[in-house]
Amino acid sequence: MAVQTDTAKPPDSLRSGDNAAYIAMVRAENETDMGFKVGGIVDIIGPEPGSDWNEGAVVKQGAVLASLKQSDFVNALNSARAQAELTTKQFERFRRLRESDAISQQELDVSEANYHTAQAQLDQANQNLHDSQLRASIEGVVLARYVNSGVTVAAGQRLLRFAGNTTMQIELGMPDRLVTFFSPGKEVDVQISAFEGRPPFRGRVSEVGVAASQDGRLFRVVIKVPNPDGVIRSGMTATVRVGDPARFGRDAVLVPLSALVTFAPASQGRPAESSQLAVFVIDGGKALRRPVKTGDILRSSIIITVGLKNGEVVVTSGASLLYDGQPVEVLQNVPIAD
């Protein structure tokens, strides 16, 4: 059988930009859905009355994001204040009367209870008026608007999705063999796909997971990237390159992905569940199957950490059709034209 081959090479044959790359999604820092703690009619949900927020609008710290119809809350506050003033005067009068034994202790207790109830209602009315407006606690950007002005909303109903935009957050999952390259405070280069050709952004690791996720067995790593000009937007994709070829050890080699095949060891009773990776090595005109252990995928190649030596020739085309010990004819590799 005719096959094409390639030679196993050391990882240091890679260019510096060919380190293992991991794709992550860019998120704005402190992304959150916002809503009122009280219900009411939405009067303003924009920079000014009659103009609703558009997606991507930049908002200064302290600016009003949304406001309910204020007259309802002002009227409720005025009513609560009047009731509080009335019960305060009554309680003070009843306390003087009790000192002269003109009323019973029970009557004074009832007046005191009314006083405390009115004060609590006044405090709640004040709080409701405060909660009828949403303000930006930080400078940020409106990511989404879910309602328009004029609609009636319930307490807790989401109105806007808002986030800070001066710092962006890159979150990705790392396998255990690479998570040790990250530690809180370490600076990391982050390439944003929307800015291809531009130098990478410099970020700083803020969190490193202490336990792997149950589904992908990956450790959560969070990198924060300064965004003072606001050019990085939530939803963009980012690439983080990890480590350098030296981390794979002196015995690791690099081969094309097409050299890998799978097989079931003869000692296993259920081959479908026990497949193992291997390559075919050319030796004396025959293709010998060699079990291997692998590391990262780097572009169209893969790191072999165990089972193969530098300089050995492996089959790269036709490997999946071979059996162990099969005689082969090595074809001369023809360069692909650019």
Side-chain angles (χ1 to χ4, degrees):
M1 179 176 176
V3 296
Q4 289 186 324
T5 62
D6 203 344
T7 303
K9 303 177 180 65
D12 58 14
S13 63
L14 291 170
R15 299 186 302 273
S16 60
D18 287 331
N19 295 340
Y22 287 81
I23 305 300
M25 189 66 70
V26 178
R27 299 291 184 195
E29 189 177 29
N30 301 321
E31 284 192 23
T32 182
D33 286 331
M34 303 184 69
F36 292 112
K37 295 181 180 179
V38 292
I41 301 173
V42 178
D43 186 33
I44 300 172
I45 189 166
E48 57 187 21
S51 176
D52 295 346
W53 291 115
N54 293 320
E55 182 177 329
V58 177
V59 181
K60 297 294 184 181
Q61 182 178 3
V64 175
L65 291 168
S67 176
L68 294 175
K69 187 177 179 181
Q70 294 295 284
S71 59
D72 297 338
F73 296 94
V74 171
N75 291 337
L77 177 60
N78 290 336
S79 176
R81 184 179 291 116
Q83 184 65 22
E85 291 174 354
L86 177 63
T87 57
T88 298
K89 292 178 181 178
Q90 185 184 57
F91 177 49
E92 291 174 349
R93 184 167 63 86
F94 272 40
R95 190 162 49 188
R96 290 192 298 270
L97 291 173
R98 179 56 186 160
E99 290 174 354
S100 61
D101 208 24
I103 62 171
S104 67
Q105 181 63 43
Q106 182 180 6
E107 289 175 303
L108 177 61
D109 290 344
V110 171
S111 178
E112 184 178 7
N114 291 337
Y115 163 76
H116 288 302
T117 299
Q119 289 298 319
Q121 292 174 341
L122 176 60
D123 291 342
Q124 187 60 60
N126 265 308
Q127 187 63 49
N128 289 346
L129 178 60
H130 178 270
D131 291 340
S132 67
Q133 287 190 328
L134 290 178
R135 292 183 178 271
S137 59
I138 56 175
E139 181 176 339
V141 61
V142 176
L143 302 179
R145 174 174 51 81
Y146 304 119
V147 302
N148 298 322
S149 58
V151 303
T152 301
V153 296
Q157 181 177 339
R158 66 176 188 172
L159 307 176
L160 297 166
R161 187 160 186 82
F162 182 77
N165 68 337
T166 56
T167 301
M168 305 303 284
Q169 187 164 290
I170 314 297
E171 183 174 329
L172 61 161
M174 282 290 156
D176 54 3
R177 66 182 180 276
L178 294 178
V179 73
T180 55
F181 281 87
F182 296 89
S183 59
K186 181 178 180 179
E187 291 190 343
V188 179
D189 283 339
V190 177
Q191 185 68 56
I192 307 296
S193 58
F195 304 103
E196 186 175 356
R198 171 175 173 167
F201 293 85
R202 195 67 172 169
R204 188 180 298 274
V205 177
S206 63
E207 299 177 43
V208 179
V210 296
S213 61
Q214 292 296 320
D215 48 0
R217 308 304 303 168
L218 299 175
F219 291 82
R220 179 172 177 264
V221 174
V222 177
I223 303 167
K224 292 190 176 182
V225 178
N227 186 34
D229 299 328
V231 295
I232 308 175
R233 299 184 181 183
S234 180
M236 290 180 172
T237 55
T239 301
V240 179
R241 299 193 179 277
V242 185
D244 56 71
R247 74 181 185 275
F248 300 109
R250 60 183 182 181
D251 295 328
V253 294
L254 187 74
V255 298
L257 272 170
S258 58
L260 282 181
V261 296
T262 59
F263 74 101
S267 60
Q268 299 292 340
R270 303 178 70 178
E273 297 182 4
S274 58
S275 60
Q276 184 173 337
L277 291 174
V279 296
F280 279 97
V281 178
I282 300 299
D283 187 3
K286 294 182 179 181
L288 304 181
R289 187 173 59 207
R290 182 83 60 79
V292 295
K293 292 183 179 180
T294 61
D296 292 323
I297 296 174
L298 307 177
R299 296 185 182 270
S300 60
S301 300
I302 189 166
I303 294 291
I304 304 296
T305 57
V306 176
L308 197 62
K309 295 180 179 179
N310 180 29
E312 289 190 290
V313 178
V314 297
V315 177
T316 58
S317 178
S320 60
L321 304 176
L322 297 174
Y323 61 83
D324 189 21
Q326 182 175 354
V328 293
E329 176 188 355
V330 177
L331 299 177
Q332 183 177 1
N333 293 331
V334 179
I336 299 175
D338 293 334

